[in-house]
Amino acid sequence: MIIEQTLAIIKPDAINRNLIGSIINLIEQNNLNVKDILMRRISTKEAKEFYKIHTDREFFSKLIEYMTSGPIVVMLLEGDDAVNRYRKIMGSTNPDTAESGTIRKLYGLNTTENSVHGSDSIDNADIEIKFFFK
Ligand code: IDP
Ligand code: MG
């Protein structure tokens, strides 16, 4: 067993549709432990910093507008192989092509409003956890 930590976010589209509980259920049923949790809005400055690797992408401004459109739920998850396992539970970026049973396949609306975020590496998990949980 390799116990890891990762950062998960429930995005505004899922909050708006009362999906917080359903998404946390999927996370917990997969033996990932919620070690910390918060709900708040993020500023435009914070969103731009969080997604800075995508600054030059054509979807960047749409992404920032969306992520600041309402509150988000941010969670520190812990468990065996947490980074890769949570990415699998989320599914791929586009809900239409995401694997069946994944959060994005079940609940995502489109490639921008895809309900959840998850860190993509142990190094980024570390950076993202520090970003929200000092
Ligand atoms: P990921 O969330 O699956 O890791 P990234 O490529 O890191 O996907 O993109 C970050 C977020 O930006 C996505 O979750 C989604 O909300 C948005 N996004 C990514 N690619 C596109 C796109 O091609 N069109 C619109 N929005 C996108
Ligand atoms: Mg990513």
Side-chain angles (χ1 to χ4, degrees), residues 23-48:
I23 289 171
I24 294 178
N25 252 332
L26 279 170
I27 289 169
E28 292 185 329
Q29 279 165 6
N30 281 281
N31 289 318
L32 291 172
N33 302 318
V34 179
K35 299 293 283 188
D36 208 344
I37 186 166
L38 64 83
M39 181 174 187
R40 67 172 174 88
R41 290 182 79 127
I42 55 170
S43 67
T44 299
K45 188 179 171 211
E46 285 177 304
K48 285 181 172 169

PDB file of all heavy atoms in Angstrom, residues 23-48:
ATOM      1  N   ILE A  23     -21.404  12.812  -5.126  1.00  0.00           N
ATOM      2  CA  ILE A  23     -19.987  12.746  -5.510  1.00  0.00           C
ATOM      3  C   ILE A  23     -19.139  12.279  -4.326  1.00  0.00           C
ATOM      4  O   ILE A  23     -18.266  11.411  -4.478  1.00  0.00           O
ATOM      5  CB  ILE A  23     -19.521  14.110  -6.067  1.00  0.00           C
ATOM      6  CG1 ILE A  23     -20.178  14.333  -7.448  1.00  0.00           C
ATOM      7  CG2 ILE A  23     -17.993  14.183  -6.162  1.00  0.00           C
ATOM      8  CD1 ILE A  23     -19.998  15.721  -8.022  1.00  0.00           C
ATOM      9  N   ILE A  24     -19.415  12.794  -3.140  1.00  0.00           N
ATOM     10  CA  ILE A  24     -18.646  12.343  -1.963  1.00  0.00           C
ATOM     11  C   ILE A  24     -18.918  10.856  -1.698  1.00  0.00           C
ATOM     12  O   ILE A  24     -18.015  10.106  -1.328  1.00  0.00           O
ATOM     13  CB  ILE A  24     -18.934  13.232  -0.735  1.00  0.00           C
ATOM     14  CG1 ILE A  24     -18.390  14.653  -0.999  1.00  0.00           C
ATOM     15  CG2 ILE A  24     -18.305  12.647   0.533  1.00  0.00           C
ATOM     16  CD1 ILE A  24     -18.655  15.652   0.115  1.00  0.00           C
ATOM     17  N   ASN A  25     -20.157  10.417  -1.931  1.00  0.00           N
ATOM     18  CA  ASN A  25     -20.470   8.988  -1.805  1.00  0.00           C
ATOM     19  C   ASN A  25     -19.577   8.133  -2.682  1.00  0.00           C
ATOM     20  O   ASN A  25     -19.025   7.123  -2.227  1.00  0.00           O
ATOM     21  CB  ASN A  25     -21.916   8.740  -2.260  1.00  0.00           C
ATOM     22  CG  ASN A  25     -22.825   8.420  -1.104  1.00  0.00           C
ATOM     23  OD1 ASN A  25     -22.389   7.876  -0.087  1.00  0.00           O
ATOM     24  ND2 ASN A  25     -24.073   8.772  -1.250  1.00  0.00           N
ATOM     25  N   LEU A  26     -19.426   8.508  -3.942  1.00  0.00           N
ATOM     26  CA  LEU A  26     -18.574   7.739  -4.861  1.00  0.00           C
ATOM     27  C   LEU A  26     -17.137   7.708  -4.369  1.00  0.00           C
ATOM     28  O   LEU A  26     -16.462   6.677  -4.425  1.00  0.00           O
ATOM     29  CB  LEU A  26     -18.626   8.345  -6.269  1.00  0.00           C
ATOM     30  CG  LEU A  26     -19.839   7.966  -7.109  1.00  0.00           C
ATOM     31  CD1 LEU A  26     -19.901   8.818  -8.371  1.00  0.00           C
ATOM     32  CD2 LEU A  26     -19.771   6.494  -7.491  1.00  0.00           C
ATOM     33  N   ILE A  27     -16.668   8.862  -3.874  1.00  0.00           N
ATOM     34  CA  ILE A  27     -15.297   8.942  -3.363  1.00  0.00           C
ATOM     35  C   ILE A  27     -15.118   7.998  -2.172  1.00  0.00           C
ATOM     36  O   ILE A  27     -14.176   7.195  -2.118  1.00  0.00           O
ATOM     37  CB  ILE A  27     -14.974  10.401  -2.987  1.00  0.00           C
ATOM     38  CG1 ILE A  27     -14.835  11.256  -4.261  1.00  0.00           C
ATOM     39  CG2 ILE A  27     -13.720  10.488  -2.111  1.00  0.00           C
ATOM     40  CD1 ILE A  27     -14.776  12.757  -4.018  1.00  0.00           C
ATOM     41  N   GLU A  28     -16.053   8.051  -1.225  1.00  0.00           N
ATOM     42  CA  GLU A  28     -15.935   7.244  -0.005  1.00  0.00           C
ATOM     43  C   GLU A  28     -16.128   5.754  -0.294  1.00  0.00           C
ATOM     44  O   GLU A  28     -15.445   4.908   0.296  1.00  0.00           O
ATOM     45  CB  GLU A  28     -16.936   7.724   1.045  1.00  0.00           C
ATOM     46  CG  GLU A  28     -16.584   9.117   1.571  1.00  0.00           C
ATOM     47  CD  GLU A  28     -17.483   9.581   2.694  1.00  0.00           C
ATOM     48  OE1 GLU A  28     -18.673   9.179   2.716  1.00  0.00           O
ATOM     49  OE2 GLU A  28     -17.018  10.341   3.553  1.00  0.00           O
ATOM     50  N   GLN A  29     -17.027   5.439  -1.239  1.00  0.00           N
ATOM     51  CA  GLN A  29     -17.242   4.023  -1.585  1.00  0.00           C
ATOM     52  C   GLN A  29     -15.987   3.413  -2.200  1.00  0.00           C
ATOM     53  O   GLN A  29     -15.798   2.200  -2.178  1.00  0.00           O
ATOM     54  CB  GLN A  29     -18.410   3.901  -2.573  1.00  0.00           C
ATOM     55  CG  GLN A  29     -19.762   3.955  -1.885  1.00  0.00           C
ATOM     56  CD  GLN A  29     -20.905   4.206  -2.867  1.00  0.00           C
ATOM     57  OE1 GLN A  29     -20.703   4.233  -4.091  1.00  0.00           O
ATOM     58  NE2 GLN A  29     -22.098   4.391  -2.327  1.00  0.00           N
ATOM     59  N   ASN A  30     -15.140   4.264  -2.771  1.00  0.00           N
ATOM     60  CA  ASN A  30     -13.881   3.791  -3.351  1.00  0.00           C
ATOM     61  C   ASN A  30     -12.719   3.844  -2.358  1.00  0.00           C
ATOM     62  O   ASN A  30     -11.550   3.846  -2.771  1.00  0.00           O
ATOM     63  CB  ASN A  30     -13.556   4.597  -4.608  1.00  0.00           C
ATOM     64  CG  ASN A  30     -14.356   4.122  -5.802  1.00  0.00           C
ATOM     65  OD1 ASN A  30     -14.021   3.121  -6.421  1.00  0.00           O
ATOM     66  ND2 ASN A  30     -15.448   4.809  -6.118  1.00  0.00           N
ATOM     67  N   ASN A  31     -13.046   3.884  -1.073  1.00  0.00           N
ATOM     68  CA  ASN A  31     -12.023   3.841  -0.024  1.00  0.00           C
ATOM     69  C   ASN A  31     -11.024   4.985  -0.084  1.00  0.00           C
ATOM     70  O   ASN A  31      -9.851   4.806   0.223  1.00  0.00           O
ATOM     71  CB  ASN A  31     -11.267   2.507  -0.033  1.00  0.00           C
ATOM     72  CG  ASN A  31     -12.136   1.372   0.458  1.00  0.00           C
ATOM     73  OD1 ASN A  31     -12.874   1.544   1.432  1.00  0.00           O
ATOM     74  ND2 ASN A  31     -12.093   0.249  -0.206  1.00  0.00           N
ATOM     75  N   LEU A  32     -11.494   6.155  -0.491  1.00  0.00           N
ATOM     76  CA  LEU A  32     -10.684   7.362  -0.323  1.00  0.00           C
ATOM     77  C   LEU A  32     -11.282   8.110   0.866  1.00  0.00           C
ATOM     78  O   LEU A  32     -12.505   8.245   0.970  1.00  0.00           O
ATOM     79  CB  LEU A  32     -10.706   8.215  -1.589  1.00  0.00           C
ATOM     80  CG  LEU A  32      -9.966   7.602  -2.786  1.00  0.00           C
ATOM     81  CD1 LEU A  32     -10.216   8.413  -4.044  1.00  0.00           C
ATOM     82  CD2 LEU A  32      -8.468   7.480  -2.507  1.00  0.00           C
ATOM     83  N   ASN A  33     -10.411   8.554   1.758  1.00  0.00           N
ATOM     84  CA  ASN A  33     -10.868   9.218   2.984  1.00  0.00           C
ATOM     85  C   ASN A  33     -10.823  10.726   2.824  1.00  0.00           C
ATOM     86  O   ASN A  33      -9.819  11.270   2.361  1.00  0.00           O
ATOM     87  CB  ASN A  33      -9.971   8.825   4.166  1.00  0.00           C
ATOM     88  CG  ASN A  33      -9.946   7.323   4.377  1.00  0.00           C
ATOM     89  OD1 ASN A  33     -10.983   6.663   4.295  1.00  0.00           O
ATOM     90  ND2 ASN A  33      -8.766   6.775   4.607  1.00  0.00           N
ATOM     91  N   VAL A  34     -11.906  11.384   3.210  1.00  0.00           N
ATOM     92  CA  VAL A  34     -11.929  12.854   3.207  1.00  0.00           C
ATOM     93  C   VAL A  34     -11.245  13.330   4.488  1.00  0.00           C
ATOM     94  O   VAL A  34     -11.775  13.165   5.584  1.00  0.00           O
ATOM     95  CB  VAL A  34     -13.375  13.393   3.136  1.00  0.00           C
ATOM     96  CG1 VAL A  34     -13.376  14.917   3.158  1.00  0.00           C
ATOM     97  CG2 VAL A  34     -14.080  12.876   1.888  1.00  0.00           C
ATOM     98  N   LYS A  35     -10.039  13.895   4.333  1.00  0.00           N
ATOM     99  CA  LYS A  35      -9.249  14.307   5.510  1.00  0.00           C
ATOM    100  C   LYS A  35      -9.486  15.769   5.865  1.00  0.00           C
ATOM    101  O   LYS A  35      -9.241  16.195   6.995  1.00  0.00           O
ATOM    102  CB  LYS A  35      -7.747  14.105   5.246  1.00  0.00           C
ATOM    103  CG  LYS A  35      -7.367  12.668   4.958  1.00  0.00           C
ATOM    104  CD  LYS A  35      -7.559  11.767   6.158  1.00  0.00           C
ATOM    105  CE  LYS A  35      -6.430  11.944   7.170  1.00  0.00           C
ATOM    106  NZ  LYS A  35      -6.525  10.926   8.237  1.00  0.00           N
ATOM    107  N   ASP A  36      -9.898  16.565   4.883  1.00  0.00           N
ATOM    108  CA  ASP A  36     -10.219  17.970   5.140  1.00  0.00           C
ATOM    109  C   ASP A  36     -11.180  18.407   4.042  1.00  0.00           C
ATOM    110  O   ASP A  36     -11.201  17.814   2.955  1.00  0.00           O
ATOM    111  CB  ASP A  36      -8.951  18.828   5.139  1.00  0.00           C
ATOM    112  CG  ASP A  36      -9.091  20.074   6.022  1.00  0.00           C
ATOM    113  OD1 ASP A  36     -10.234  20.441   6.385  1.00  0.00           O
ATOM    114  OD2 ASP A  36      -8.057  20.676   6.341  1.00  0.00           O
ATOM    115  N   ILE A  37     -11.982  19.430   4.331  1.00  0.00           N
ATOM    116  CA  ILE A  37     -12.995  19.878   3.362  1.00  0.00           C
ATOM    117  C   ILE A  37     -13.344  21.342   3.633  1.00  0.00           C
ATOM    118  O   ILE A  37     -13.355  21.776   4.784  1.00  0.00           O
ATOM    119  CB  ILE A  37     -14.255  18.967   3.452  1.00  0.00           C
ATOM    120  CG1 ILE A  37     -15.286  19.315   2.359  1.00  0.00           C
ATOM    121  CG2 ILE A  37     -14.885  19.022   4.840  1.00  0.00           C
ATOM    122  CD1 ILE A  37     -16.357  18.240   2.188  1.00  0.00           C
ATOM    123  N   LEU A  38     -13.587  22.085   2.562  1.00  0.00           N
ATOM    124  CA  LEU A  38     -14.066  23.465   2.710  1.00  0.00           C
ATOM    125  C   LEU A  38     -14.952  23.803   1.522  1.00  0.00           C
ATOM    126  O   LEU A  38     -14.873  23.185   0.465  1.00  0.00           O
ATOM    127  CB  LEU A  38     -12.902  24.454   2.813  1.00  0.00           C
ATOM    128  CG  LEU A  38     -11.946  24.630   1.650  1.00  0.00           C
ATOM    129  CD1 LEU A  38     -12.506  25.591   0.600  1.00  0.00           C
ATOM    130  CD2 LEU A  38     -10.607  25.152   2.136  1.00  0.00           C
ATOM    131  N   MET A  39     -15.819  24.775   1.737  1.00  0.00           N
ATOM    132  CA  MET A  39     -16.674  25.267   0.653  1.00  0.00           C
ATOM    133  C   MET A  39     -16.566  26.775   0.627  1.00  0.00           C
ATOM    134  O   MET A  39     -16.775  27.422   1.645  1.00  0.00           O
ATOM    135  CB  MET A  39     -18.117  24.859   0.886  1.00  0.00           C
ATOM    136  CG  MET A  39     -19.062  25.312  -0.208  1.00  0.00           C
ATOM    137  SD  MET A  39     -20.712  24.645   0.075  1.00  0.00           S
ATOM    138  CE  MET A  39     -21.514  25.143  -1.449  1.00  0.00           C
ATOM    139  N   ARG A  40     -16.204  27.318  -0.539  1.00  0.00           N
ATOM    140  CA  ARG A  40     -16.168  28.767  -0.696  1.00  0.00           C
ATOM    141  C   ARG A  40     -16.054  29.137  -2.160  1.00  0.00           C
ATOM    142  O   ARG A  40     -15.841  28.283  -3.015  1.00  0.00           O
ATOM    143  CB  ARG A  40     -15.011  29.372   0.095  1.00  0.00           C
ATOM    144  CG  ARG A  40     -13.599  29.041  -0.384  1.00  0.00           C
ATOM    145  CD  ARG A  40     -12.602  29.894   0.408  1.00  0.00           C
ATOM    146  NE  ARG A  40     -11.225  29.587   0.155  1.00  0.00           N
ATOM    147  CZ  ARG A  40     -10.479  30.134  -0.808  1.00  0.00           C
ATOM    148  NH1 ARG A  40     -11.021  30.974  -1.697  1.00  0.00           N
ATOM    149  NH2 ARG A  40      -9.209  29.826  -0.931  1.00  0.00           N
ATOM    150  N   ARG A  41     -16.238  30.417  -2.429  1.00  0.00           N
ATOM    151  CA  ARG A  41     -15.966  30.911  -3.779  1.00  0.00           C
ATOM    152  C   ARG A  41     -14.495  31.240  -3.876  1.00  0.00           C
ATOM    153  O   ARG A  41     -13.869  31.591  -2.881  1.00  0.00           O
ATOM    154  CB  ARG A  41     -16.791  32.170  -4.054  1.00  0.00           C
ATOM    155  CG  ARG A  41     -18.266  31.907  -4.186  1.00  0.00           C
ATOM    156  CD  ARG A  41     -19.015  33.191  -4.506  1.00  0.00           C
ATOM    157  NE  ARG A  41     -18.891  33.526  -5.912  1.00  0.00           N
ATOM    158  CZ  ARG A  41     -19.938  33.772  -6.713  1.00  0.00           C
ATOM    159  NH1 ARG A  41     -21.171  33.696  -6.234  1.00  0.00           N
ATOM    160  NH2 ARG A  41     -19.754  34.089  -7.971  1.00  0.00           N
ATOM    161  N   ILE A  42     -13.936  31.151  -5.065  1.00  0.00           N
ATOM    162  CA  ILE A  42     -12.561  31.600  -5.283  1.00  0.00           C
ATOM    163  C   ILE A  42     -12.592  32.862  -6.143  1.00  0.00           C
ATOM    164  O   ILE A  42     -13.490  33.045  -6.966  1.00  0.00           O
ATOM    165  CB  ILE A  42     -11.661  30.506  -5.903  1.00  0.00           C
ATOM    166  CG1 ILE A  42     -12.248  29.952  -7.206  1.00  0.00           C
ATOM    167  CG2 ILE A  42     -11.432  29.391  -4.901  1.00  0.00           C
ATOM    168  CD1 ILE A  42     -11.275  29.050  -7.955  1.00  0.00           C
ATOM    169  N   SER A  43     -11.592  33.708  -5.935  1.00  0.00           N
ATOM    170  CA  SER A  43     -11.485  34.945  -6.707  1.00  0.00           C
ATOM    171  C   SER A  43     -10.931  34.634  -8.103  1.00  0.00           C
ATOM    172  O   SER A  43     -10.360  33.562  -8.336  1.00  0.00           O
ATOM    173  CB  SER A  43     -10.548  35.917  -5.997  1.00  0.00           C
ATOM    174  OG  SER A  43      -9.226  35.405  -6.025  1.00  0.00           O
ATOM    175  N   THR A  44     -11.077  35.595  -9.005  1.00  0.00           N
ATOM    176  CA  THR A  44     -10.501  35.458 -10.346  1.00  0.00           C
ATOM    177  C   THR A  44      -8.993  35.264 -10.259  1.00  0.00           C
ATOM    178  O   THR A  44      -8.413  34.426 -10.953  1.00  0.00           O
ATOM    179  CB  THR A  44     -10.838  36.705 -11.194  1.00  0.00           C
ATOM    180  OG1 THR A  44     -12.264  36.786 -11.293  1.00  0.00           O
ATOM    181  CG2 THR A  44     -10.234  36.632 -12.575  1.00  0.00           C
ATOM    182  N   LYS A  45      -8.356  36.006  -9.363  1.00  0.00           N
ATOM    183  CA  LYS A  45      -6.909  35.891  -9.183  1.00  0.00           C
ATOM    184  C   LYS A  45      -6.511  34.477  -8.738  1.00  0.00           C
ATOM    185  O   LYS A  45      -5.549  33.889  -9.254  1.00  0.00           O
ATOM    186  CB  LYS A  45      -6.465  36.926  -8.132  1.00  0.00           C
ATOM    187  CG  LYS A  45      -4.977  37.058  -7.993  1.00  0.00           C
ATOM    188  CD  LYS A  45      -4.620  38.120  -6.964  1.00  0.00           C
ATOM    189  CE  LYS A  45      -3.130  38.076  -6.686  1.00  0.00           C
ATOM    190  NZ  LYS A  45      -2.811  38.475  -5.305  1.00  0.00           N
ATOM    191  N   GLU A  46      -7.262  33.930  -7.796  1.00  0.00           N
ATOM    192  CA  GLU A  46      -6.981  32.569  -7.321  1.00  0.00           C
ATOM    193  C   GLU A  46      -7.193  31.538  -8.440  1.00  0.00           C
ATOM    194  O   GLU A  46      -6.391  30.607  -8.598  1.00  0.00           O
ATOM    195  CB  GLU A  46      -7.889  32.212  -6.144  1.00  0.00           C
ATOM    196  CG  GLU A  46      -7.514  32.868  -4.834  1.00  0.00           C
ATOM    197  CD  GLU A  46      -8.521  32.513  -3.754  1.00  0.00           C
ATOM    198  OE1 GLU A  46      -9.731  32.753  -3.948  1.00  0.00           O
ATOM    199  OE2 GLU A  46      -8.104  31.978  -2.721  1.00  0.00           O
ATOM    200  N   ALA A  47      -8.282  31.701  -9.185  1.00  0.00           N
ATOM    201  CA  ALA A  47      -8.582  30.747 -10.264  1.00  0.00           C
ATOM    202  C   ALA A  47      -7.482  30.778 -11.322  1.00  0.00           C
ATOM    203  O   ALA A  47      -7.044  29.727 -11.813  1.00  0.00           O
ATOM    204  CB  ALA A  47      -9.939  31.072 -10.882  1.00  0.00           C
ATOM    205  N   LYS A  48      -7.014  31.979 -11.663  1.00  0.00           N
ATOM    206  CA  LYS A  48      -5.942  32.106 -12.666  1.00  0.00           C
ATOM    207  C   LYS A  48      -4.647  31.471 -12.174  1.00  0.00           C
ATOM    208  O   LYS A  48      -3.912  30.846 -12.940  1.00  0.00           O
ATOM    209  CB  LYS A  48      -5.708  33.578 -13.009  1.00  0.00           C
ATOM    210  CG  LYS A  48      -6.789  34.158 -13.904  1.00  0.00           C
ATOM    211  CD  LYS A  48      -6.496  35.616 -14.230  1.00  0.00           C
ATOM    212  CE  LYS A  48      -7.466  36.145 -15.273  1.00  0.00           C
ATOM    213  NZ  LYS A  48      -7.370  37.615 -15.416  1.00  0.00           N
TER     214      LYS A  48
END
